[in-house]
Amino acid sequence: MGLDFSIIPKYMDIILLGVAWTIGITVSAALLSFIGGIIFAVIALYAHWIIRQPFRLIEWVFMGTPLLLQLFLIYFGLVQIGIDLPAFIAGIIGLGLHFAVYNSELIQTAILAVDKGQMEAARTLGLSRGQALRKVVIPQAVRDVIPPIGNNMIALLKDSALVSVIGVSELTLSAQRVIGKTYRPFEFYILAAGFYYVINLCMEWVQHKIERRISISR
Amino acid sequence: MDLELMLKVYPFFLEAAWVTVLLSVLTAILGLTCGTLGAAARLSRFAYLRFLGAAYVSVFRGTPALIQLFILYFGGPQIGIQLDAFEAGVIGLGINAGAYMTETIRGAIIAVDRGQREAARTLGLSSWQATYKVILPQAARLMVRPLGVNLNMLIKATALVAAIAVVELTYTAQRYIGSTYKPFEMFLLAGILYMIIIYVTGRGVAWLDRKVQIT
């Protein structure tokens, strides 16, 4: 069977819908992983050790096992304990938590890199510890950490393809559905790869812009 | 927690873990080969080789590994490439890992001080000799640790071949979750085995890293 790219336009609407889903899932999971990353970092650095130790274990498990396996656990595990979530929400939670752990590592380093004097000055001015963290230390840490987090977000886009395995109709599964009808895997997977590549280039471009913005503001 | 069930299925997981190990080893070998060639191309004197190297890195790092695997395994037959799932897994993941390793190896080579090459050339070594006797031995020390990070990612990426039905750890876990409805237990079994593999590899890399450092 040779190649025939001329049948692509007929199924373009299904693929484009998949693209929209992929972008939606990536953005939602990115937001979750960013906020989660900050919370995890604060817990890892400042929480009481009774909270911190089990938390470390969870972090370690998330970093030491494949994302695909974690997605299976979250999707089927939630069903087992009686929470029947739609697959795409399970996917967003899985991707979001996985990358929150990686973001947390970056944010922890950044928080520790903020000058100690900042916290001391904030405390001297009468801010509580929580306030000082929230209003002085974390904003500075977040600024430093945005470029490397950008790399994580690009990795997240590519890993969003994995949620096709738990049945979320994003770009990869849309391509699979079309292939089921047309028996043309090469053409449609190449098309999907092309869309991922373009989204990836756009994200790199945005990341570049933000990096320049930050380096000016410093 | 159903311990009895876990004890019953655990031999199957152990067997699958060996498949994961084998996959990882073969993928790492292919990845290192592609990475070395890629880095050589990216640092080449010839502009078209540099372009090829850059395109390889950009395309393979810019698209999901899962899609690359699908193109090779499902799309391959259309262009005359017939592979079984395991072969497709090794080749697909290896070429993908090679793109990441290209950047690691290139980074280590350009991190070696420029003066080293200049000094070697001044002492009468040819460009070739300077590369092989002065630059690469120093670069090799610098790349052990970052290649270890690549290896860690690669081991976790082998889970993707579950999607083309290679019976490795994740596929086995997935199948038993489907048949027993005990996701937590199955995750625990597979997760522990993954973490053992990753821990042992990590220690190996750390040992090698200490071994090659000059103190």
Side-chain angles (χ1 to χ4, degrees):
Chain A
M1 193 158 70
L3 298 181
D4 177 15
F5 285 93
S6 64
I7 55 161
I8 284 177
K10 208 177 136 198
Y11 295 94
M12 204 54 169
D13 49 341
I14 301 180
I15 300 291
L16 285 176
L17 193 64
V19 171
W21 270 101
T22 285
I23 294 174
I25 288 168
T26 304
V27 171
S28 319
L31 280 175
L32 181 62
S33 77
F34 187 63
I35 297 163
I38 295 174
I39 296 170
F40 287 0
V42 171
I43 292 176
L45 289 177
Y46 300 106
H48 192 266
W49 68 270
I50 292 180
I51 304 172
R52 207 167 58 213
Q53 292 310 328
F55 186 78
R56 281 258 170 81
L57 183 72
I58 294 171
E59 248 188 358
W60 194 58
V61 170
F62 263 90
M63 294 186 93
T65 57
L67 173 60
L68 192 59
L69 197 62
Q70 292 163 18
L71 285 173
F72 287 137
L73 175 74
I74 288 169
Y75 184 54
F76 295 103
L78 285 176
V79 175
Q80 195 192 17
I81 57 171
I83 305 172
D84 199 1
L85 288 175
F88 82 93
I89 294 187
I92 290 172
I93 294 174
L95 282 170
L97 285 181
H98 182 81
F99 280 93
V101 170
Y102 282 92
N103 286 347
S104 156
E105 292 286 310
L106 295 171
I107 294 169
Q108 281 176 46
T109 327
I111 289 178
L112 292 176
V114 172
D115 194 76
K116 254 192 161 44
Q118 296 284 331
M119 172 65 106
E120 283 160 11
R123 295 302 302 276
T124 314
L125 289 171
L127 274 71
S128 73
R129 222 169 114 90
Q131 279 177 322
L133 265 181
R134 215 168 52 240
K135 301 201 163 152
V136 179
V137 177
I138 289 176
Q140 295 183 61
V142 163
R143 185 193 60 190
D144 292 338
V145 94
I146 281 177
I149 279 189
N151 293 336
N152 277 357
M153 295 307 98
I154 291 169
L156 193 156
L157 163 72
K158 287 176 282 166
D159 280 345
S160 75
L162 297 191
V163 300
S164 66
V165 179
I166 57 170
V168 184
S169 290
E170 39 64 80
L171 182 47
T172 304
L173 192 58
S174 301
Q176 266 165 14
R177 294 242 162 94
V178 174
I179 290 161
K181 286 185 205 156
T182 60
Y183 301 105
R184 295 237 162 240
F186 193 86
E187 290 88 337
F188 284 101
Y189 282 135
I190 288 279
L191 179 68
F195 275 114
Y196 277 113
Y197 190 60
V198 170
I199 302 172
N200 171 66
L201 288 181
C202 294
M203 287 176 80
E204 279 178 4
W205 181 77
V206 171
Q207 186 193 16
H208 184 70
K209 285 265 158 190
I210 294 175
E211 259 174 63
R212 273 191 35 196
R213 251 316 242 293
I214 291 172
S215 66
I216 291 168
S217 80
R218 224 175 280 232
Chain B
M1 183 115 78
D2 194 342
L3 269 177
E4 206 177 316
L5 176 70
M6 283 170 76
L7 283 174
K8 217 164 75 185
V9 298
Y10 134 86
F12 298 103
F13 278 76
L14 206 58
E15 212 172 296
W18 284 114
V19 178
T20 290
V21 170
L22 182 66
L23 258 172
S24 303
V25 170
L26 294 176
T27 305
I29 293 171
L30 182 60
L32 270 176
T33 313
C34 291
T36 309
L37 291 175
R42 287 216 59 182
L43 294 166
S44 163
R45 247 179 305 163
F46 305 106
Y48 64 91
L49 276 181
R50 283 202 302 275
F51 172 78
L52 268 181
Y56 166 55
V57 171
S58 173
V59 168
F60 281 84
R61 294 209 313 182
T63 55
L66 189 66
I67 293 276
Q68 293 164 21
L69 219 51
F70 285 166
I71 292 175
L72 184 64
Y73 183 61
F74 296 113
Q78 276 176 279
I79 52 169
I81 304 171
Q82 296 271 6
L83 297 168
D84 67 38
F86 187 86
E87 291 164 354
V90 170
I91 294 173
L93 291 175
I95 295 176
N96 179 267
Y100 289 88
M101 290 180 175
T102 294
E103 288 303 90
T104 306
I105 295 172
R106 173 175 165 269
I109 291 174
I110 57 181
V112 175
D113 193 78
R114 223 169 215 294
Q116 296 284 329
R117 173 178 290 278
E118 285 159 9
R121 294 303 305 274
T122 313
L123 290 170
L125 274 70
S126 70
S127 173
W128 176 265
Q129 282 174 323
T131 303
Y132 281 85
K133 301 205 163 156
V134 179
I135 305 295
L136 285 184
Q138 295 183 67
R141 292 196 179 92
L142 294 176
M143 66 180 79
V144 171
R145 208 180 301 214
L147 278 178
V149 176
N150 289 144
L151 188 61
N152 177 305
M153 306 289 275
L154 179 156
I155 294 167
K156 284 182 273 177
T158 60
L160 297 187
V161 299
I164 56 172
V166 178
V167 188
E168 42 68 79
L169 259 179
T170 299
Y171 185 80
T172 306
Q174 184 190 0
R175 222 172 35 181
Y176 279 106
I177 289 172
S179 62
T180 64
Y181 297 104
K182 300 271 185 205
F184 185 75
E185 283 85 345
M186 298 307 138
F187 175 82
L188 202 62
L189 273 177
I192 289 172
L193 288 167
Y194 270 114
M195 288 201 283
I196 292 174
I197 297 172
I198 283 177
Y199 179 76
V200 171
T201 321
R203 292 310 295 255
V205 170
W207 173 82
L208 190 64
D209 188 48
R210 269 198 313 276
K211 195 95 183 159
V212 298
Q213 296 308 324
I214 314 165
T215 42

